[in-house]
């Protein structure tokens, strides 16, 4: 955007009160997330559920001087007003003008499911081919689509926009402001079907978007969709994709057996490997290939781009439960498609026993018997030990479920039955419609009730791993360091996720850490970096692979192998000393080492070393010397051994700064958590960890009154102080009290005041408006960041994370 106030008023038939020459480049709609007020107007959006006008004062307090509103509020001085009749229609009218004058090639995506994933995949594939703009998040509604279109600027050549509807007659309005040249119709499912008389009406409404499209790409497996599109748009270029070979784009080979899929695109064939073979992912892959071909992307590039794709996941919570259970909380929505996704996520966990809580599926107009027959088939395939059904409707069909099944009309009845609290050593999936409030079951089952939580975003972690992988050759393996309880995040939970996403190796510090993972079903190779001599039998018993760094350790471990009766060459990992002077064999010891190894029933699985200063640019010369030493000594040892073990020396900083020395494998640690000393790399990484709590109480401290132990803070004026339930027993060092450290409240910094207590601390919120008891407080994530918090503590991010107390509840999120 780049309009004056008067220009916008002329485009939308609005009235101006104030300076019509002011420039507007951005429109903010949420007063809480206004980061810059320069050339920004705040729009007060009025809907049937809420009025944005009550947030005008908050926006002005943040520095906004241009307000777009249906009413004028003269009590606010020095404000320029754009007075409109209807806020939603204003956005639609302005975005229509903006889009029509953008000269942009556009892709419009609609459907019931898969819109956001396909949009993000297309963006990943196309951003470096064309200057590309896309819908943020899932902005696809009557308000979201206009806001997305207003992001277009003169530099953009391609736009990828989601378009969503939830009831009849909505698409006509959206098509009136946005006419995509390429129309993409994803899977038509049950989402929002309750608002339509039939699936046919839903399809009719969706495909209105393609009225002026030049090309329509659609899932031809749906017979109704295929017929409707061909009847209505036969004069356009139509391309169907799907599993059936009657489509123009389909899978030629047996995808259930083969690791490589072959996509038949008209007369061409495109082959690439796949790791996830669920129906939704494969269908989306076909749609992706079809769009890329339509944009004239060459086959070689398509394969390269698909191989580099990063996962886009939905939001789910995994929480440690009582009695060694894991609770998967997916109480955000419920239809057939989201149930399938939740069941797929369930399979990432290896616990053999599992239970399901499932409610009525509401908001779907369909034959109940057919619906729950399909639901029961999906559930029965998972072989649950117990199924708990909640709701009048689903309970009628309890005999369709093969597991031991219990029925309840309301969630409270299940709570009162005490069945759930008797479950042990299981994974429990909570899947329900919002009206049943099954989040109450999460509260019942979770191990820790503390309001203070450590939230780990698994999608962000995967993004960071994929970013580092993008710097590597395709054949380079990756080891993830999960020592010290995965840097405090939860060893098993992180390892399970990494295993599911095909990490090659895991690294732990001590044998006990590896044993815990094996007992919980982790099968990925695990290297023990510091195997203690009394633990060698345990290493062998649990199929762990030890680091060998001295002749003493080598001899002791070999004796343990002999005692165990292990009849194959046991895998070990040789550590070389290259300059850090911590552990490892030196160059003068390599001849003796190779001779000893040649006589023993051991296999050198890898040869490695560790960079001490890869994160420090001023130590580049030293780091290069380390790399030179490693190259020389590892090559010499390989020559003596007569075979080629895996070689690895790069840590997270090494991956980004010394990529040419990646060898056969790299090791990622803090990098997968979103931390890098390289500022450019840091911009590419996502924050993984959020340490959060809530405000317990807000008090007004009068002038001269003190706060906390030892009266270290005394108010020099009446001051609002909030108490939050987190202290040094949770991992907050006392040293950052007394206004050294800050926490985040409503996107602003709140200084810690007084002494930090064992279980509580106090913060100054005097300068922060609209704060109330129960509001979220961010100890670290974005504001302050993990790095900023570490700077308060005068330490490194590793120490901050590993210091967080086990009593802090860990929540694992996919969004």
């Amino acid at each position: 955007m780049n309009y004056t106030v008067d220009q916008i008023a002329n485009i939308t038939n609005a009235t101006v009160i104030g300076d019509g020459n002011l420039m507007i480049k951005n429109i903010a709609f949420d007063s809480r997330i206004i980061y810059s007020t320069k050339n920004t107007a705040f729009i007060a959006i009025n809907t049937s559920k809420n009025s944005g006008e009550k947030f005008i004062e908050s926006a002005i307090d943040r520095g906004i001087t241009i307000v777009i509103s249906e009413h004028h509020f003269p009590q606010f001085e020095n404000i320029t007003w754009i007075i409109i009749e209807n806020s939603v229609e204003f956005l639609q009218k302005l975005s229509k003008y903006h889009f029509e004058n953008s000269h942009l090639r556009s892709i419009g995506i609609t459907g019931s499911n898969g819109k956001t994933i396909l949009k993000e995949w297309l963006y990943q594939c196309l951003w470096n081919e064309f200057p590309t703009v896309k819908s943020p998040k899932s902005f696809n509604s009557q308000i979201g689509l206009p806001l997305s279109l207003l992001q277009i600027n003169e530099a953009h050549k391609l736009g990828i926009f989601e378009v969503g509807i939830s009831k009849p007659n909505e698409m006509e309005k959206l098509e009136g402001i946005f006419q995509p040249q390429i129309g993409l119709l994803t899977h038509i499912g049950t989402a929002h079907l309750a608002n339509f008389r039939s699936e046919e009406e839903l399809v009719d409404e969706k495909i209105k978007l393609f009225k002026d499209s030049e090309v329509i790409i659609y899932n031809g497996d749906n017979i109704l969709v295929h017929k409707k599109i061909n009847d209505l748009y036969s004069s356009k270029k139509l391309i169907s994709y799907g599993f059936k070979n009657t489509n123009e784009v389909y899978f030629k080979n047996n995808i259930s057996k083969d690791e490589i899929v072959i996509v038949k695109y008209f007369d061409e064939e495109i082959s690439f490997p796949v790791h996830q073979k669920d129906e939704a992912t494969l269908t989306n892959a076909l749609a992706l290939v079809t769009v890329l071909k339509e944009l004239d992307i060459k086959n070689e590039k398509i394969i390269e781009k698909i191989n580099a794709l990063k996962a886009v996941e939905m939001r789910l919570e995994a929480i440690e439960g009582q009695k060694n259970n894991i609770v998967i909380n997916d109480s955000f929505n419920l239809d057939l498609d989201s149930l399938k996704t939740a069941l797929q996520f369930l399979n990432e966990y290896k616990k053999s026993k599992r239970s399901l809580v499932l409610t009525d599926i509401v908001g779907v107009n369909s034959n109940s018997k057919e619906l729950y027959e399909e639901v029961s088939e999906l559930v029965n395939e998972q072989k649950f030990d117990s199924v708990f059904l909640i709701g009048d409707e689903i309970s009628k069909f309890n005999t369709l479920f093969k597991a031991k099944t219990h029925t309840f009309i309301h969630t409270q009845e299940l709570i009162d039955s005490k069945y759930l609290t008797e479950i042990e050593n299981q994974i429990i999936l909570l899947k329900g419609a919002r009206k049943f409030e099954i989040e109450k079951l999460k509260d019942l089952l979770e191990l820790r009730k503390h309001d203070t939580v450590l939230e780990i975003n698994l999608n962000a972690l995967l993004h960071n791993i994929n970013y580092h992988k993008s710097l590597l050759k395709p054949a380079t393996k990756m080891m993830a360091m999960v020592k010290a309880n995965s840097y405090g995040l939860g060893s098993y939970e992180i390892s399970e996720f990494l295993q599911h996403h095909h990490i090659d190796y895991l690294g732990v510090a001590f044998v006990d850490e590896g044993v815990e993972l094996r007992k919980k079903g982790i099968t990925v190779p695990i290297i023990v970096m510091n195997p203690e001599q009394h633990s060698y039998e345990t290493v062998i018993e649990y199929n762990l692979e030890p680091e060998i760094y001295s002749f003493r350790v080598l001899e002791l471990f070999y004796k343990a192998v002999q005692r165990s009766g292990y009849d194959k060459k046991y895998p070990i990992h040789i550590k070389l000393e290259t300059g850090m002077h911590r552990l490892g064999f030196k160059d003068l010891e390599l001849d003796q080492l190779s001779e000893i190894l040649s006589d023993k029933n051991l296999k050198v699985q890898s040869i490695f070393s560790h960079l001490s200063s890869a994160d420090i640019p001023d130590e580049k010369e030293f780091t290069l010397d380390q790399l030179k030493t490693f190259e020389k000594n590892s090559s010499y040892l390989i020559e003596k051994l007569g075979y080629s073990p895996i070689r690895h020396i790069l840590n997270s900083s090494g991956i980004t700064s010394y990529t040419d020395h990646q060898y056969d494998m790299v090791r990622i640690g803090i990098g997968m958590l979103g931390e890098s000393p390289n500022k450019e790399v840091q911009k590419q990484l996502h924050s993984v960890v959020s340490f959060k709590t809530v405000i317990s109480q807000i008090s007004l401290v009068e002038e001269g009154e003190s706060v906390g132990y030892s009266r270290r803070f005394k108010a020099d004026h009446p001051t609002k102080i909030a108490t939050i339930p987190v202290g040094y027993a949770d991992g907050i060092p006392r040293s950052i009290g007394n206004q050294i450290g800050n926490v985040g409240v409503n996107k602003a910094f709140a200084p810690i005041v007084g002494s930090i207590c064992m279980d509580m601390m106090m913060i100054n919120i005097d300068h922060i408006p609209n704060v109330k008891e129960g509001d979220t407080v961010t100890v670290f994530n974005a504001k302050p960041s993990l790095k900023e918090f570490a700077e308060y503590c005068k330490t490194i991010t590793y120490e901050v994370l590993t210091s967080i107390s086990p009593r802090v509840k860990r929540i694992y999120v996919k969004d």
Side-chain angles (χ1 to χ4, degrees):
M1 287 180 59
N2 197 18
Y3 302 105
T4 66
V5 168
D6 282 340
Q7 286 173 328
I8 287 179
N10 289 333
I11 293 166
T12 60
N13 297 319
T15 301
V16 175
I17 301 174
D19 188 351
N21 294 315
L22 294 177
M23 188 64 66
I24 297 178
K25 295 185 178 181
N26 302 291
I27 293 180
F29 65 98
D30 188 335
S31 62
R32 297 167 297 178
I33 53 174
I34 298 174
Y35 298 107
S36 172
T37 59
K38 184 179 180 181
N39 301 128
T40 298
F42 173 75
I43 182 169
I45 299 177
N46 291 336
T47 66
S48 58
K49 296 182 179 178
N50 205 356
S51 171
E53 292 179 350
K54 62 186 179 183
F55 302 109
I56 289 175
E57 183 175 2
S58 175
I60 293 173
D61 287 343
R62 291 178 180 270
I64 288 292
T65 58
I66 307 172
V67 175
I68 305 167
S69 173
E70 294 176 12
H71 300 93
H72 177 217
F73 298 88
Q75 66 266 34
F76 299 112
E77 298 178 353
N78 302 317
I79 300 298
T80 293
W81 297 84
I82 301 177
I83 305 301
I84 55 180
E85 289 187 7
N86 181 290
S87 55
V88 175
E89 290 177 3
F90 164 84
L91 279 175
Q92 293 173 348
K93 192 178 294 186
L94 179 61
S95 64
K96 172 182 172 66
Y97 175 90
H98 189 64
F99 172 73
E100 289 178 346
N101 287 274
S102 66
H103 309 294
L104 187 82
R105 190 169 191 186
S106 56
I107 302 170
I109 308 174
T110 192
S112 301
N113 307 95
K115 296 187 292 295
T116 300
I117 287 175
L118 270 169
K119 176 201 68 185
E120 295 296 336
W121 279 3
L122 282 166
Y123 183 79
Q124 288 180 38
C125 291
L126 295 169
W127 69 270
N128 57 355
E129 300 289 333
F130 316 94
T132 304
V133 60
K134 66 179 175 73
S135 306
K137 301 179 181 179
S138 296
F139 278 32
N140 58 34
S141 64
Q142 303 290 308
I143 296 170
L145 177 62
L147 290 169
S148 299
L149 295 175
L150 290 172
Q151 291 188 118
I152 301 169
N153 65 42
E154 292 179 356
H156 291 135
K157 303 298 181 187
L158 178 70
I160 309 170
F161 300 103
E162 291 182 51
V163 185
I165 58 170
S166 57
K167 55 188 179 182
N169 302 317
E170 287 186 337
M171 188 60 84
E172 191 170 353
K173 293 180 182 178
L174 296 179
E175 195 277 334
I177 65 173
F178 173 54
Q179 302 83 38
Q181 292 165 321
I182 298 175
L184 173 58
L185 183 66
T186 67
H187 171 69
I188 294 291
T190 56
H192 307 301
L193 191 57
N195 296 324
F196 296 87
R197 290 191 297 270
S198 63
E199 183 182 5
E200 182 174 2
E201 184 182 41
L202 175 63
V203 172
D204 285 340
E205 185 73 8
K206 294 279 187 185
I207 65 177
K208 286 178 183 177
L209 178 65
F210 309 138
K211 177 181 169 185
D212 294 310
S213 297
E214 299 166 6
V215 181
I216 303 174
I217 298 167
Y218 66 97
N219 189 335
D221 287 347
N222 186 314
I223 296 172
L224 178 61
V225 168
H226 181 76
K227 183 178 186 305
K228 288 281 184 181
I229 286 181
N230 279 270
D231 286 349
L232 191 61
Y233 297 126
S234 58
S235 61
K236 299 180 184 290
K237 182 177 181 180
L238 306 179
I239 307 175
S240 66
Y241 64 89
F243 285 84
K244 298 176 183 177
N245 60 13
T246 52
N247 293 296
E248 282 84 13
V249 186
Y250 62 93
F251 291 111
K252 182 181 178 183
N253 61 325
N254 187 336
I255 55 177
S256 62
K257 295 181 179 180
D258 298 340
E259 293 298 318
I260 302 292
V261 298
I262 304 172
V263 174
K264 186 79 171 177
Y265 178 86
F266 293 91
D267 296 325
E268 298 179 55
E269 290 182 4
I270 305 171
S271 303
F272 51 86
V274 292
H275 298 298
Q276 291 180 252
K277 294 186 177 181
D278 59 280
E279 183 176 340
T281 298
L282 291 171
T283 304
N284 288 337
L286 287 173
L288 178 67
V289 169
T290 309
V291 176
L292 294 180
K293 288 292 293 182
E294 184 59 29
L295 293 172
D296 297 319
I297 306 297
K298 301 299 182 186
N299 290 356
E300 296 78 13
K301 269 200 170 182
I302 290 176
I303 296 168
E304 179 185 321
K305 290 174 182 296
I306 288 176
N307 287 335
L309 280 178
K310 302 166 188 175
V312 180
E313 307 270 5
M314 62 175 287
R315 181 178 175 92
L316 292 160
E317 291 181 347
I319 301 163
E320 186 179 3
Q322 299 179 37
K323 298 187 177 180
N324 200 33
N325 295 314
I326 293 174
V327 181
I328 306 296
N329 176 35
D330 187 12
S331 56
F332 305 104
N333 59 29
L334 177 58
D335 58 25
L336 274 176
D337 301 301
S338 68
L339 175 61
K340 292 175 184 177
T341 302
L343 295 175
Q344 289 166 4
F345 177 58
L346 189 72
N347 289 326
E348 294 185 17
Y349 291 84
K350 298 298 181 185
K351 280 186 179 287
S352 57
K353 291 189 174 182
R354 48 182 64 180
S355 292
L356 169 68
V357 176
L358 184 65
T359 73
D360 283 352
I361 298 178
V362 299
V364 176
N365 287 336
S366 62
N367 181 288
S368 293
K369 186 172 186 298
E370 291 179 1
L371 172 64
Y372 289 111
E373 281 177 349
E374 187 171 354
V375 168
S376 63
E377 286 177 12
L378 288 170
V379 170
N380 291 337
E381 288 174 9
Q382 306 304 312
K383 303 189 184 324
F384 285 98
D385 291 83
S386 301
V387 172
F388 303 91
L389 305 177
I390 303 176
D392 284 321
E393 199 66 33
I394 197 169
S395 294
K396 297 174 186 176
F397 302 96
N398 66 305
T399 57
L400 297 175
F401 296 87
K402 294 180 180 179
K404 185 176 181 180
T405 304
H406 307 270
T407 60
F408 306 90
I409 303 303
H410 305 293
T411 300
Q412 189 61 45
E413 287 183 33
L414 174 54
I415 294 172
D416 294 341
S417 75
K418 305 290 178 64
Y419 279 127
L420 290 180
T421 55
E422 295 172 0
I423 295 174
E424 296 183 31
N425 300 307
Q426 291 195 24
I427 184 165
I428 306 170
L429 173 61
L430 308 178
K431 185 67 180 152
R434 285 186 183 275
K435 70 175 251 184
F436 288 95
E437 299 180 318
I438 64 170
E439 60 271 14
K440 292 178 180 176
L441 302 179
K442 181 200 78 168
D443 297 337
L444 173 72
L445 294 168
E446 64 187 1
L447 179 62
R448 294 173 178 85
K449 312 295 184 181
H450 203 8
D451 279 335
T452 302
V453 301
L454 194 70
E455 185 176 285
I456 297 98
N457 189 309
L458 296 176
N459 285 355
L461 185 142
L462 184 61
H463 164 87
N464 296 336
I465 286 177
N466 285 334
Y467 171 77
H468 285 84
K469 281 186 174 181
S470 72
L471 306 176
L472 305 172
K473 299 172 185 175
T476 303
K477 297 179 184 295
M478 180 173 280
M479 180 197 302
M481 303 307 298
V482 292
K483 60 183 179 177
N485 196 29
S486 286
Y487 300 96
L489 306 191
S491 182
Y492 168 64
E493 292 81 2
I494 299 299
S495 298
E496 185 75 68
F497 181 74
L498 294 172
Q499 176 173 267
H500 180 75
H501 288 282
H502 309 286
I503 204 74
D504 297 291
Y505 270 88
L506 296 172
V508 298
F510 298 106
V511 171
D512 290 349
E513 295 174 323
V515 169
E516 180 187 359
L517 294 178
R518 286 284 186 253
K519 284 181 176 179
K520 291 184 175 181
I522 301 299
T523 58
V524 172
I526 299 174
I527 297 179
V528 182
M529 303 306 245
N530 190 20
E532 298 166 294
Q533 63 186 52
H534 69 271
S535 65
Y536 295 153
E537 283 77 11
T538 308
V539 167
I540 298 163
E541 180 184 355
Y542 285 92
N543 192 29
L544 305 173
E545 301 177 13
E547 169 188 320
I548 304 295
Y549 52 83
S550 71
F551 291 118
R552 181 185 67 86
V553 170
L554 177 58
E555 188 62 31
L556 289 171
F557 183 73
Y558 183 60
K559 287 179 179 178
V561 172
Q562 288 179 308
R563 289 194 300 270
S564 73
Y566 194 87
D567 58 357
K568 300 176 184 177
K569 286 185 175 292
Y570 200 93
I572 62 172
H573 299 262
I574 299 295
K575 175 73 174 289
L576 299 182
E577 160 55 39
T578 58
M580 189 167 182
H581 296 294
R582 190 167 65 174
L583 296 173
F585 290 97
K586 299 178 176 65
D587 52 1
L588 296 177
E589 299 174 310
L590 297 182
D591 285 331
Q592 182 184 353
L593 175 61
S594 61
E595 288 176 13
I596 293 173
L597 288 171
S598 66
D599 292 334
K600 298 190 182 302
N601 192 30
L602 300 171
K603 179 187 177 184
V604 179
Q605 195 74 12
S606 83
I607 302 170
F608 72 103
S609 190
H610 191 64
L611 299 177
S612 71
S613 310
D615 58 336
I616 304 174
D618 290 346
E619 295 292 350
K620 183 175 183 179
E621 184 177 348
F622 180 83
T623 301
L624 291 173
D625 283 342
Q626 274 198 276
L627 292 165
K628 183 178 179 181
T629 301
F630 180 70
E631 170 62 29
K632 182 185 72 169
N633 291 353
S634 63
S635 297
Y636 184 80
L637 184 56
I638 287 172
E639 182 182 347
K640 290 288 186 180
L641 290 173
Y643 60 92
S644 298
I646 295 168
R647 287 193 285 179
H648 51 108
I649 189 171
L650 298 188
N651 52 13
S652 295
S653 296
I655 294 170
T656 56
S657 300
Y658 298 93
T659 312
D660 291 343
H661 301 272
Q662 62 191 263
Y663 289 101
D664 308 296
M665 184 162 70
V666 298
R667 304 187 300 271
I668 191 168
I670 200 71
M672 68 180 173
L673 306 187
E675 294 296 315
S676 174
N678 185 312
K679 291 182 180 179
E680 292 306 311
V681 172
Q682 186 67 59
K683 292 176 183 177
Q684 303 299 321
L685 302 180
H686 292 174
S687 176
V688 170
V689 189
S690 298
F691 194 6
K692 300 176 180 178
T693 188
V694 299
I695 293 176
S696 301
Q697 186 177 24
I698 296 174
S699 303
L700 182 65
V701 176
E702 299 293 347
E703 181 179 349
E705 292 183 335
S706 59
V707 173
Y709 289 119
S710 305
R711 304 189 70 199
R712 294 177 69 197
F713 175 83
K714 294 180 181 178
D716 58 8
H717 65 279
T719 306
K720 277 198 295 185
I721 299 293
T723 301
I724 59 177
V726 59
Y728 59 77
D730 300 293
I732 309 297
R734 291 185 77 246
S735 61
I736 69 167
N738 207 27
Q739 303 184 83
I740 293 173
N742 295 279
V743 296
V745 179
N746 287 356
K747 304 291 184 180
F749 284 119
I752 302 167
V753 297
S755 298
I756 292 174
C757 313
M758 181 181 289
D759 311 301
M760 290 175 282
M761 64 184 183
M762 286 65 74
I763 58 175
N764 186 339
I765 58 168
D766 206 40
H767 59 295
I768 306 174
N770 304 318
V771 182
K772 60 185 183 299
E773 293 177 359
D775 279 358
T776 297
V777 176
T778 301
V779 179
F780 61 73
N781 178 24
K783 192 180 184 79
S785 67
L786 172 56
K787 188 174 182 179
E788 286 173 321
F789 189 82
E791 288 171 354
Y792 301 150
C793 303
K794 295 184 179 179
T795 187
I796 58 175
T797 52
Y798 297 84
E799 184 178 351
V800 169
L801 291 173
T802 55
S803 298
I804 298 171
S805 168
R807 79 176 184 178
V808 175
K809 180 169 60 180
R810 271 71 170 169
I811 297 177
Y812 302 88
V813 174
K814 284 186 164 189
D815 52 13

